[in-house]
Amino acid sequence: MEGRIAKNDYTLGGRHTGITLRAGETIEFGIYAMHMNADYYPNPEQFNVDRFLPENRNQLTPYAFLPFGLGPRQCIAKRFAQMLVKLTLATLVLKYRFNTCEQTDIPTKVHISSFSNAPKCINLKIQSYIENYIY
Ligand code: HEM
């Protein structure tokens, strides 16, 4: 995906930020750095989905969670992609038991790029429930 390009000079947040985008400049966000920033997400290495519960939402910083971008040019398939990921995970955990093993990297090593941050490698021990699986 191409980065966003400023059409005109534009100062972010009025004059308060001191950041002016110049016409023609390409803009990319360091999303991984933002999602792992303890100012926004205390203990960022900790897997804690409770951060996103409705009762904890007032502790979240707007625009500090951008897996699909935000605003008029955010990912058009955001809901579709989320549904797909949930269905895939649900199907997998229904059929297989996942465990870490000696080869599992803890914490996971991440390949950081401008668009997505995929794990470098995930080695897991996978056991099938298939004998007990009822369709
Ligand atoms: C987990 C999967 C996905 C992630 C994390 C993701 C993430 C993103 C992100 C970060 C953007 C840029 C938003 C911005 O610049 O503000 C984007 C744009 C876009 N995505 Fe996705 N995406 C996913 C799946 C998909 C799928 C499955 C499709 C199509 C079927 C899709 C279609 C698009 C399109 C067309 C745009 C450009 C929207 C525009 O420029 O107006 N994405 N996506």
Side-chain angles (χ1 to χ4, degrees):
M1 167 173 290
E2 287 183 23
R4 302 298 183 208
I5 299 171
K7 286 176 81 175
N8 307 303
D9 288 1
Y10 184 79
T11 302
L12 295 174
R15 295 175 191 279
H16 304 298
T17 60
I19 302 171
T20 299
L21 309 174
R22 302 288 172 201
E25 280 180 354
T26 301
I27 302 134
E28 287 186 8
F29 291 90
I31 292 176
Y32 181 80
M34 188 163 62
H35 289 178
M36 298 305 283
N37 186 331
D39 289 346
Y40 301 132
Y41 302 102
N43 300 318
E45 299 280 352
Q46 188 189 10
F47 180 73
N48 176 12
V49 287
D50 289 358
R51 303 173 200 273
F52 299 97
L53 286 175
E55 58 267 36
N56 295 331
R57 276 193 194 146
N58 60 349
Q59 291 166 40
L60 296 173
T61 306
Y63 291 91
F65 188 63
L66 292 175
F68 295 94
L70 269 175
R73 299 302 298 272
Q74 70 175 312
C75 179
I76 55 163
K78 177 181 171 181
R79 288 172 196 278
F80 172 69
Q82 285 176 325
M83 191 179 67
L84 213 61
V85 170
K86 284 179 200 168
L87 278 173
T88 305
L89 283 176
T91 306
L92 287 173
V93 295
L94 201 62
K95 294 186 179 180
Y96 303 98
R97 178 198 295 267
F98 292 85
N99 275 309
T100 53
C101 59
E102 279 180 14
Q103 290 79 27
T104 312
D105 288 329
I106 301 174
T108 307
K109 290 178 187 153
V110 179
H111 175 76
I112 298 171
S113 76
S114 58
F115 183 60
S116 73
N117 305 312
K120 283 188 175 157
C121 181
I122 302 183
N123 285 307
L124 293 171
K125 184 176 159 193
I126 302 172
Q127 289 169 287
S128 174
Y129 287 129
I130 210 76
E131 284 146 36
N132 305 324
Y133 185 71
I134 302 163
Y135 283 92

